[in-house]
Amino acid sequence: MKIEWQGEITSVQPRFRLLRSFDQRHHVYLGYALRVRGSVAGEPGEAWFGVGKVSQQKHQFEVGQTASGQARPVVDPRMESADFYKVSRLAIQCRQGTVGATPPWHGPAPPIETYRERGHRRLFKRTYHSAACSSCIWGARMPVEIVVDQWNPDQKRYRFETFCYGPKSCSRYRAGPTRKVPGRRGMTYEEEDWVDAELTAHRGADD
Ligand code: SF4
């Protein structure tokens, strides 16, 4: 059943899913997530809404706009960064966004290809939630599906990880502890700092 929502957009971020299997990882590019503060299913509150790439291209969602629509609760919250998706009857009441000169960075989120090309670094979960990274276009909270044993792919674990696609010089950035991925027979893979360094080596500090 669809719910009605309406309110101010307080964040626009990539809506990606991360699949891990020991030291292997790849992404599923679902689109974008809009955080809206206002009325959700008739109650005051805040929630994340998943929209597609085409919808972002068309509406150029950004922080400060007000919008409304309908949406469905996600079927499997372990696999989604949004609370609701399949958005319909979308309407933008105020198109004027708010852009500041310091992080967190607002404005319309870039194309998905830009995120892919930039690559990400791990972002401390606490920083994501406390230092406004949750409203930055370069921040991302991804659902993670871990295949613990590739010979027994039904054995999975789920969690969320936070990342930053933004400039490496950002004053708000904190990496936080390295991430550990469980593997078969009790083994653990530790994703060390060089992984992020290599993935973002093509960018300068301020890019
Ligand atoms: S650390 Fe990253 S996500 Fe946070 S404000 Fe800076 S660029 Fe944005």
Side-chain angles (χ1 to χ4, degrees):
M1 200 176 83
K2 288 209 166 186
I3 58 101
E4 307 268 348
W5 59 271
Q6 187 278 328
E8 181 181 351
I9 296 175
T10 58
S11 179
V12 182
Q13 293 193 337
R15 180 174 149 239
F16 301 160
R17 185 181 298 150
L18 182 60
L19 308 181
R20 287 188 181 275
S21 176
F22 209 61
D23 60 345
Q24 304 295 307
R25 66 181 192 185
H26 72 271
H27 297 82
V28 179
Y29 301 97
L30 301 168
Y32 297 82
L34 315 178
R35 189 176 61 190
V36 176
R37 185 185 301 137
S39 168
V40 179
E43 299 284 337
E46 190 172 64
W48 288 91
F49 295 86
V51 298
K53 177 179 169 178
V54 173
S55 187
Q56 174 65 18
Q57 276 171 351
K58 179 179 174 189
H59 297 288
Q60 294 291 297
F61 299 112
E62 61 178 302
V63 168
Q65 294 176 331
T66 53
S68 62
Q70 295 182 340
R72 277 184 207 283
V74 300
V75 170
D76 188 347
R78 300 174 305 177
M79 300 285 278
E80 269 286 349
S81 57
D83 304 300
F84 299 89
Y85 58 6
K86 300 189 188 305
V87 171
S88 58
R89 300 201 176 185
L90 187 58
I92 311 282
Q93 281 84 42
C94 169
R95 293 198 164 270
Q96 186 65 48
T98 54
V99 182
T102 54
W105 307 108
H106 292 162
I112 286 174
E113 292 69 27
T114 302
Y115 288 104
R116 296 183 65 170
E117 188 272 328
R118 292 179 66 83
H120 58 54
R121 297 180 295 160
R122 75 175 187 275
L123 176 61
F124 193 21
K125 199 179 199 176
R126 198 184 302 162
T127 303
Y128 174 85
H129 289 291
S130 67
C133 298
S134 68
S135 78
C136 179
I137 58 170
W138 300 124
R141 179 174 171 266
M142 293 184 203
V144 183
E145 183 182 80
I146 302 170
V147 175
V148 177
D149 182 351
Q150 59 176 321
W151 306 112
N152 182 13
D154 290 339
Q155 192 189 341
K156 292 177 181 169
R157 292 198 198 160
Y158 299 89
R159 68 188 188 197
F160 283 84
E161 294 180 20
T162 46
F163 295 95
C164 169
Y165 286 86
K168 289 187 271 188
S169 60
C170 181
S171 58
R172 297 200 180 246
Y173 181 77
R174 300 287 180 276
T178 55
R179 297 196 171 137
K180 282 86 178 170
V181 183
R184 63 199 294 255
R185 295 183 183 160
M187 289 192 294
T188 301
Y189 165 70
E190 180 177 7
E191 197 166 71
E192 296 177 18
D193 292 344
W194 67 262
V195 175
D196 286 353
E198 194 172 272
L199 198 70
T200 58
H202 60 292
R203 290 200 269 125
D206 298 330
D207 298 337

